[in-house]
Amino acid sequence: ISDKIKDAKIIFVTLDLLHLSPSCGPGSGKGTQCEKVVAKYGYTHLSSGDLLRAEVSSGSERGKHLQAIMQKGELVPLDTVLDMIKDAMIAKADVSKGFLIDGYPREVKQGEEFEKKIGKPCLLLYIDAKAETMVKRLLKRGETSGRSDDNEETIKKRLDLYYKATEPVIAFYDGRGIVRKIDSELPVDEVFSQVSKAIDALK
Ligand SMILES: Nc1ccn([C@@H]2O[C@H](COP(=O)(O)OP(=O)(O)OP(=O)(O)O)[C@@H](O)[C@H]2O)c(=O)n1
Ligand SMILES: Nc1nc2c(ncn2[C@@H]2O[C@H](COP(=O)(O)OP(=O)(O)O)[C@@H](O)[C@H]2O)c(=O)[nH]1
Ligand SMILES: [Mg+2]
């Protein structure tokens, strides 16, 4: 029965709401931009990384397992993340103008599964920054973030994995014409004005 309820709501989500996926490198400024979109457009921001970190904080057995994977900069099992996103979307379906799915998909397979279980994205915001910039921002964030993966060694692994697994995601959706590339080397507000243009062009 609960699966049926989920299915019904998912159709609603797909028809009426927008899925935006800022799928870009660690430290490129996804979180910063998503916050601004929430304030201006009334979207719900779902960061897959934040959902995972919440599970880690809960101290559950599953959280301990996740923590070990994340600390190495590797990807957690696909179903774990997808289930968390789906539950969070259903919980917010009634009050959201749209969804920003941040940090997902990390690999083409994750995107395919998302579409099978939830729906199609109408836009992929590709927030691009140089590797050097991303590392610099993450090291700076690491001074205060308390995140066990914001250290030099894990940042390097996250970036390697990003170029190997996540960049192909962008090519995959580019084939559908829904990718908007945003240059994140500019000041935050200028980046946001590019983001706003991409969203305003949706309808
Ligand atoms: N779809 C996802 C999202 C996150 N993770 C795990 O959670 C970690 C942190 O993810 P996230 O918070 O998205 O971090 P980054 O992409 O590194 O970017 P950010 O700087 O926004 O935190 C990843 O390295 C990975 O281990 C994952 O496996 N699958
Ligand atoms: N200089 C500069 N720093 C930024 C910009 N966007 C984000 N940052 C900083 O870079 C770090 C990573 O940003 P965050 O939004 O967490 O990136 P994410 O990893 O892609 O979610 C944070 O410390 C931000 O304050 C930007 O446009 N310019
Ligand atoms: Mg983030």
Side-chain angles (χ1 to χ4, degrees), residues 88-102:
M89 286 179 79
I90 290 169
K92 291 282 188 174
D94 291 339
V95 296
S96 300
K97 296 239 170 67
F99 288 97
L100 291 158
I101 313 293
D102 171 1

Side-chain angles (χ1 to χ4, degrees), residues 73-94:
E74 293 168 5
L75 292 182
V76 311
L78 190 160
D79 290 336
T80 307
V81 194
L82 192 53
D83 284 347
M84 285 178 174
I85 292 176
K86 190 166 117 181
D87 290 346
M89 286 179 79
I90 290 169
K92 291 282 188 174
D94 291 339

Side-chain angles (χ1 to χ4, degrees), residues 36-99:
K36 294 172 86 69
V37 173
V38 169
K40 179 169 174 188
Y41 295 94
Y43 277 50
T44 293
H45 174 212
L46 296 174
S47 157
S48 45
D50 287 350
L51 292 172
L52 291 168
R53 281 185 286 280
E55 182 72 28
V56 170
S57 302
S58 79
S60 67
E61 276 310 308
R62 180 158 87 154
K64 282 176 197 151
H65 179 62
L66 294 174
Q67 161 74 4
I69 297 172
M70 291 163 74
Q71 194 150 5
K72 284 189 277 183
E74 293 168 5
L75 292 182
V76 311
L78 190 160
D79 290 336
T80 307
V81 194
L82 192 53
D83 284 347
M84 285 178 174
I85 292 176
K86 190 166 117 181
D87 290 346
M89 286 179 79
I90 290 169
K92 291 282 188 174
D94 291 339
V95 296
S96 300
K97 296 239 170 67
F99 288 97

Side-chain angles (χ1 to χ4, degrees), residues 158-178:
R158 284 154 69 196
L159 271 183
D160 285 348
L161 188 60
Y162 166 70
Y163 288 115
K164 206 163 59 199
T166 310
E167 278 210 332
V169 170
I170 295 155
F172 178 79
Y173 287 106
D174 205 23
R176 283 197 206 160
I178 63 165

